[in-house]
Amino acid sequence: MQSFLYNDFICTCYMTDEQYIQRCLDLARLGEKYVAPNPMVGAVLVSADGRILAEGWHRQYGGPHAEVNCFADADRRGVTPGQIHGATLYVSLEPCSHYGKTPPCADLIVSKHPRRVVAGMLDPNPLVSGRGMDKVRSAGIEVTSGVMEDACRSLNKRFLCLMEKHRPYVILKWAQTRDGFIDGNGDKPLVISSPYTKQLVHKMRAENMSILVGANTVAKDHPGLRTTRWTGRHPLRIALDRHPEGKNYEGWLVYRDNTDWSFVLDDLARRGIHSVLVEGGATVLNHIIATGLYDEVHIEVSEKCIFHGVSAPKWDFPSHLAKNLYIEQYEESTLYIFGA
Ligand code: AOF
Ligand code: ZN
């Protein structure tokens, strides 16, 4: 419940748990460019009468968690211990219970002792997985979890994939002509994307920790694979190349054996990489599609026809992706997104 003055009337507005968790998700997103491979997490402290007393989010990998920043915000705002005892702490992910780079948030919450804690979802990290909420509950604090769970899972799909499937989240991306070609037969790469959709590709680069291409793409396109048309980090560049000798792969990660996709994914997971954007070409994309080890596919189809060239992969995706299709229409092309 929230009360405010409007034209001299005292208005009362009831906010739901879902709305406060939505606020946590909005805050969590502010950490998007800085926290990987950690999850994005937001927290809000709400008074007994529904006022937001303090807010916080996980801002930086290795830095304080959302709950710590939220209680620090409460201190700054002069929120009293008494107010905290009557308040509810909303957090988009279960508070941690382990000593990582920071001490357990669950212990901090127990010491501050709000009346109630609401978590959007449990933390699948095996170091936590329910123990955070158990700690809080054992201290006599009322707990609820699983509020807006789908939205919470969707925000952290990359982190969740690494925790639950022990591999990075894989996004395949390519552009093709209307008649199904990914490239022409000439020496020069075929330009399919428009300046606008190119910018969207750079946004995707900033959202993922790594970007992967095959040897043919490196030889033909000499791709920079940098994030220059969007803000954010440059992802780690990865090549699958059986003959890397003589190429300039400084700063890249190169796998010589390009036939074992699950080996590559295992190795990336060991390195703590939670996401990989595969930008082609056809050989690599077809190989990965055949393994079934991918999560999303983004295909840009231009209006152009070139009649012959290198065929794009078949749109032969498993049913859970095929039925989850989202289409965006742009001036010169259409974007088909499977599985997002
Ligand atoms: C929370 N609140 O804001 C986040 C949590 O290495 P550390 O100490 O930063 O711990 C990272 C782990 O903590 C991460 O894998 C995830 O399980 C949890 N993240 N937990 O209570 C937060 N970011
Ligand atoms: Zn924590």
Side-chain angles (χ1 to χ4, degrees), residues 241-249 254-256:
D241 192 341
R242 242 185 296 220
H243 303 289
E245 312 80 18
K247 296 194 188 106
N248 181 10
Y249 277 127
V254 181
Y255 292 96
R256 280 167 168 268

Side-chain angles (χ1 to χ4, degrees), residues 38-39 41 58 65-67 95-96 98 100-102 105 123 125 159:
N38 270 1
V41 184
H58 185 39
H65 287 179
E67 301 89 322
C96 66
H98 68 298
K101 291 179 192 61
T102 62
C105 291
D123 184 349
N125 184 343
F159 166 76

